[in-house]
Amino acid sequence: MAHISFDASKLDKFVHDNELGEMQALVNAADAELRNGTGAGSDFRDWLNLPEDYDKDEFARIQAAAKKIQSTSKVLVVIGIGGSYLGAKMAVDFLHDTFYNYLPDDQRDFPQILFAGNSLSPSYVHDLIHLIGDRDFSVNVISKSGTTTEPSIAFRIFKQRLIDKYGEAEAKSRIYATTDQKRGALKSEADAEGYESFVIPDGVGGRYSVLTAVGLLPIAASGIDIDQLMTGARDAMNAYTDTDLTKNEAYQYAAYRNILYRKGFTTELLENYEPNMQYFAEWWKQLMGESEGKNEKGIYPSSANFSTDLHSLGQYIQEGLRNLMETVVFIDKPNHDIDIPKEDGNLDGLQYLEGRTMHFANTKAFQGVTLAHTDGNVPNMSVHIPDQTPYTLGYLIYFFEVAVAISGYLNGINPFNQPGVEAYKTNMFALLGKPGFEELGEKLNKRL
């Protein structure tokens, strides 16, 4: 039995009894493309066996580097964008107390993990520098090429601050580069300057890279047991190999969302009931959006954080355009639970909940919302996870990774490339005046 469970029982009014079975032949074909490397993008499937076939020596170096960072720094600044930061951010949030990064240094056992290079906002960088203050810090810069604009600018800024604070020699010992194994600007700089460096594998795209050094170093530096993270992913890898849709729930999820997509449910909301899962949804949105949104088709990934967003988006979900489907990731046993206190009188009308817990109320909210939205003709699926541990997160990561790979092949696209991402970069380079883009820059400036 899988460690997590997928529940499609609320799809009865949207999916006929025979439809899942009719998807079996298509799923068999998609699985063959994925496992045999005959599908598009086959060079980027190394994540598939990564939980077992990872570099054990580098893994040990990651753990050693994390301990060094913990002993020398109060802050680790992680510089990256897209898949180079979202996986680490979601894992640190998911696996720590909600306000982990807000605690003062003497109340944390491990460094603050803060992120830069994920925007071009000068105010954000200014405020981050102010937050770090005079405290000791290290930098983990993550880039395959070393020339991506957002992280490259941030790296220049924080590298200079390291040099100003520690001098060039010690600054170099506080920089950890996660980059290409053989080539690229960052790899060349790391080799020349002697930064400790880690590898972004060639066969693992950015959005699938959280279980490589890209995610593992900052996650480990925050005090998380990455051995357990990888064990959970490895067990999921072994659990989701059977193509039988009655047995493989990751493949079930892929099949059901494609059935619904073909019926006009073109937007999927990933929802949660725990605030520290907000960035899990952000990681999921990149995984799904970059994998499926191409060739003028694909399910649009969105998200909502309940019950908070029920007071802002709930009306639209209940009665708006009927192109929505929902997938809830629900934690059956939260990190903590709190009793609802008893009071004399009943001014707030909560006497009926006295003796209950907040998790009881949260669970009933989830169940009530599911029924209401289903009645409102919004298909609802749910993924139940038992807890918020590294093992469970590793399992959950792999569930969604293998599901979207199958889902992409079911929809006839390459789930491992992202050609559209380059369009904005080309325009930005031209408008910034980057050499080689002058002619395009003139044309674009006339349009502004």
Side-chain angles (χ1 to χ4, degrees), residues 59-60 62-67 69-70 76 87-98 100-101 108-113 115 210-212 215-232 276 335 388-395 397:
F59 192 84
I62 289 170
Q63 292 174 310
K67 289 181 179 179
I69 292 167
Q70 292 164 0
L76 174 64
K89 171 64 173 168
M90 73 88 170
V92 170
D93 284 5
F94 184 97
L95 295 170
H96 283 287
D97 288 350
T98 305
Y100 167 82
N101 265 339
R108 273 185 294 100
D109 295 326
F110 304 103
Q112 275 183 308
I113 311 297
F115 295 85
V210 62
L211 298 178
T212 71
L216 292 178
L217 179 57
I219 293 168
S222 80
I224 298 302
D225 185 345
I226 58 174
D227 281 305
Q228 282 299 301
L229 188 72
M230 297 301 284
T231 299
N276 66 353
N335 289 333
Q388 285 182 270
T389 60
Y391 179 89
T392 293
L393 180 59
Y395 212 105
I397 287 168

Side-chain angles (χ1 to χ4, degrees), residues 34-35 44-51 87 90 204-212 233-234 236-237 240 250-251 253-254 257 280 283-284 287-288 291-292 393-409 415-416:
L34 178 63
R35 306 286 175 179
F44 289 91
R45 296 176 304 119
D46 286 358
W47 60 270
L48 193 59
N49 297 311
L50 182 67
M90 73 88 170
V204 180
R207 59 188 176 274
Y208 294 87
S209 67
V210 62
L211 298 178
T212 71
R234 184 192 66 224
M237 179 188 76
Y240 300 128
Y251 284 21
Y253 169 61
R257 63 197 301 273
F280 184 87
W283 169 81
W284 175 89
L287 179 69
M288 296 298 185
S291 295
E292 295 193 301
L393 180 59
Y395 212 105
L396 187 62
I397 287 168
Y398 196 89
F399 173 92
F400 281 113
E401 286 181 343
V402 76
V404 77
I406 293 296
S407 185
Y409 282 138
F416 306 121

Side-chain angles (χ1 to χ4, degrees), residues 104-159:
D105 292 339
D106 61 359
Q107 293 184 36
R108 273 185 294 100
D109 295 326
F110 304 103
Q112 275 183 308
I113 311 297
L114 304 174
F115 295 85
N118 49 32
S119 77
L120 289 170
S121 167
S123 296
Y124 179 94
V125 172
H126 172 274
D127 295 346
L128 178 54
I129 291 170
H130 179 72
L131 177 63
I132 296 169
D134 292 330
R135 293 181 296 162
D136 288 321
F137 74 102
S138 295
V139 166
N140 176 206
V141 56
I142 305 167
S143 176
K144 186 78 168 172
S145 66
T147 58
T148 304
T149 305
E150 295 92 339
S152 293
I153 291 174
F155 183 43
R156 278 202 179 197
I157 293 168
F158 284 96
K159 178 170 54 177

Side-chain angles (χ1 to χ4, degrees), residues 168-219:
E168 289 195 8
E170 186 176 347
K172 293 175 184 179
S173 74
R174 289 176 172 271
I175 295 173
Y176 302 83
T178 306
T179 187
D180 192 89
Q181 186 172 21
K182 298 179 180 179
R183 62 184 71 86
L186 181 56
K187 173 61 176 172
S188 297
E189 181 176 344
D191 288 346
E193 301 295 336
Y195 307 151
E196 183 164 9
S197 60
F198 302 92
V199 174
I200 303 174
D202 288 337
V204 180
R207 59 188 176 274
Y208 294 87
S209 67
V210 62
L211 298 178
T212 71
V214 171
L216 292 178
L217 179 57
I219 293 168

Side-chain angles (χ1 to χ4, degrees), residues 6 8 11 15-27 243-249 251-257 259:
F6 172 67
L11 294 182
V15 179
H16 297 295
D17 291 341
N18 66 304
E19 288 186 272
L20 185 64
E22 295 295 334
M23 292 291 291
Q24 185 65 69
L26 295 175
V27 167
T243 59
D244 187 340
L245 283 173
T246 66
K247 299 176 181 177
N248 188 328
E249 292 186 330
Y251 284 21
Q252 270 186 42
Y253 169 61
Y256 275 124
R257 63 197 301 273
I259 292 170

Side-chain angles (χ1 to χ4, degrees), residues 372-383:
H373 289 181
T374 301
D375 290 344
N377 291 320
V378 181
N380 265 256
M381 300 171 280
S382 58
V383 179

